[in-house]
Amino acid sequence: MYKGLLVDKSLIGKDPHFMEGCSFCHKGDMRGASKDKAHKGMVARPSDDPSTCGACHDKIAATYKTSLHYTTAGQKHGVAGRFSHKELKSFEGKVFEQSCRSCHASCGDCHVKGPTIGGISIGLIKGHKFVKRDEGKTCAFCHGGRVYPEFTGEYGGSADVHYEKGMICLDCHSKTDAHGDGRLYQSRKDLPDKPACVNCHKAGTEKTEKAKSAHVTHKGRVSCQACHSAGSYRNCINCHLGQGATSRPDFILGLSPRDKKTVTTLRTVPVVRDTFLSAGIKMEHFDALPNYWDTAPHNIRKRTERTRSCEVCHEEKKGFLTKDTLIKGGSKANEGLLYILKPIKK
């Protein structure tokens, strides 16, 4: 038998995942006397197929097959509106399956090893120990471009108040949010179990009359983060061709493209007209979608300059999109996100 081990020996005999031997998940030949013989037919990433984990965790594996973490459907449907029917077919074959789908998260990417991003992985989290949560080595790797650095304050400014109080991703994002509920969704915005500030911060429990009045006045018209985002957050522009991708801090307020009644924080969508030109896709309906999506920056503070002064929005109009600040050469749909504030009644 080949005796080279990539598993912390202290785990063997204690962790039930190893009771059936390596080949239970990784296949290969446990009776092989050499590395080559033992690894013949080996599956390096067994949890790429959820049914492997489903042999023991059947309920979770069954729903995970349809979760957005596994299908990455959000990446396809987020841009699909820019394509003609013919282009969408081409995108699915040439771009989505070859590129976007490669970013799907397997069970092992969250519970055994860090995911591979851009060819880089931290490898096994704890000597092949199966962990329930280790967000700094799992969530942060995939969501480390913008969300996690904002949450921890590494992107600049102050950290999110929830992070400072010791909260982690799964304190707001539920198991169902991560594992799916068995239904296919096109976007995380469609999830019925997505986080909501009011789950913890109930209306009417404010400590000051000013806060209570502000919440009543803006209810249904302004998102929580529009006032409570601490400030600049990461925005990516000029992706992928032409000038290449560039990120920069920005703070943008405008109408939500998904709900034109609500003013919220917006994040620049990293797509330009020639993004998929190398795949022969011109995006015939590029102007059907804007260059900004509603976003929830993870840099929340109780007090911000907008909670301290109404004039910051209603007089100075600070951070609001205008025709002059719209991304140059962007989609015609961007103008639909402009919001004209009414002056404060005195």
Side-chain angles (χ1 to χ4, degrees), residues 14 31 44 73 103 119 142 214 232 296 326:
K14 296 179 181 177
R31 296 170 299 177
C103 285
C142 287
S232 296
L326 286 175

Side-chain angles (χ1 to χ4, degrees), residues 31-43:
R31 296 170 299 177
S34 67
K35 178 181 177 181
D36 289 340
K37 290 181 179 177
H39 286 185
K40 188 176 182 180
M42 188 189 79
V43 178

Side-chain angles (χ1 to χ4, degrees), residues 5-319:
L5 295 174
L6 291 175
V7 180
D8 187 328
K9 291 183 179 178
S10 65
L11 298 174
I12 300 175
K14 296 179 181 177
D15 189 327
H17 288 95
F18 304 113
M19 291 180 62
E20 301 295 334
C22 305
S23 62
F24 186 77
C25 296
H26 286 283
K27 309 302 179 188
D29 184 0
M30 284 189 67
R31 296 170 299 177
S34 67
K35 178 181 177 181
D36 289 340
K37 290 181 179 177
H39 286 185
K40 188 176 182 180
M42 188 189 79
V43 178
R45 292 170 51 91
S47 67
D48 274 353
D49 179 358
S51 64
T52 303
C53 302
C56 298
H57 306 280
D58 54 340
K59 291 183 179 178
I60 293 176
T63 61
Y64 192 65
K65 289 179 180 177
T66 59
S67 74
L68 288 168
H69 273 131
Y70 187 71
T71 65
T72 63
Q75 297 185 38
K76 178 169 68 177
H77 294 289
V79 72
R82 300 187 191 278
F83 303 138
S84 65
H85 180 72
K86 183 179 179 181
E87 287 178 329
L88 179 57
K89 291 292 184 184
S90 182
F91 172 81
E92 290 177 343
K94 294 182 178 179
V95 181
F96 183 72
E97 289 298 333
Q98 303 299 321
S99 179
C100 309
R101 273 286 293 149
S102 66
C103 285
H104 78 277
S106 70
C107 305
D109 284 331
C110 295
H111 295 292
V112 181
K113 58 183 285 298
T116 301
I117 304 296
I120 299 174
S121 171
I122 62 169
L124 296 169
I125 296 173
K126 292 181 179 177
H128 211 300
K129 182 179 181 180
F130 287 76
V131 299
K132 281 190 175 180
R133 56 175 67 172
D134 194 333
E135 63 174 28
K137 296 177 180 176
T138 53
C139 307
F141 247 55
C142 287
H143 300 282
R146 51 189 187 191
V147 174
Y148 203 75
E150 291 169 3
F151 188 54
T152 59
E154 295 173 29
Y155 186 58
S158 55
D160 192 294
V161 67
H162 304 92
Y163 176 78
E164 289 182 336
K165 291 183 178 297
M167 294 175 65
I168 63 173
C169 305
L170 294 179
D171 286 323
C172 293
H173 295 274
S174 67
K175 290 181 181 178
T176 305
D177 192 353
H179 291 157
D181 62 5
R183 287 176 282 182
L184 284 168
Y185 295 100
Q186 294 189 353
S187 164
R188 60 187 173 82
K189 299 290 184 181
D190 299 332
L191 298 174
D193 197 24
K194 56 183 177 294
C197 304
V198 294
N199 290 344
C200 293
H201 304 283
K202 305 295 184 184
T205 60
E206 298 88 345
K207 294 182 179 179
T208 67
E209 288 301 318
K210 179 183 178 183
K212 188 178 296 184
S213 173
H215 289 165
V216 170
T217 301
H218 294 103
K219 183 180 180 181
R221 298 192 292 178
V222 181
S223 73
C224 301
Q225 58 268 19
C227 290
H228 291 285
S229 170
S232 296
Y233 48 86
R234 178 170 283 176
N235 281 265
C236 297
I237 59 173
N238 299 333
C239 190
H240 291 270
L241 302 180
Q243 300 178 50
T246 306
S247 71
R248 68 184 183 195
D250 207 347
F251 180 83
I252 307 170
L253 289 170
L255 291 171
S256 167
R258 293 183 174 88
D259 174 15
K260 293 293 184 64
K261 301 187 298 299
T262 302
V263 172
T264 190
T265 39
L266 303 173
R267 200 185 299 264
T268 312
V269 179
V271 60
V272 292
R273 293 180 187 272
D274 62 357
T275 294
F276 303 110
L277 202 57
S278 63
I281 302 171
K282 297 180 179 178
M283 290 193 283
E284 294 182 15
H285 303 316
F286 179 84
D287 292 306
L289 298 177
N291 287 106
Y292 306 89
W293 280 126
D294 53 309
T295 187
H298 286 56
N299 59 353
I300 298 302
R301 310 296 296 182
K302 184 176 183 180
R303 292 186 176 85
T304 68
E305 60 180 341
R306 290 168 303 290
T307 64
R308 280 190 287 269
S309 172
C310 303
E311 281 74 16
V312 171
C313 285
H314 289 275
E315 300 296 335
E316 301 172 23
K317 300 178 175 53
K318 193 171 182 179

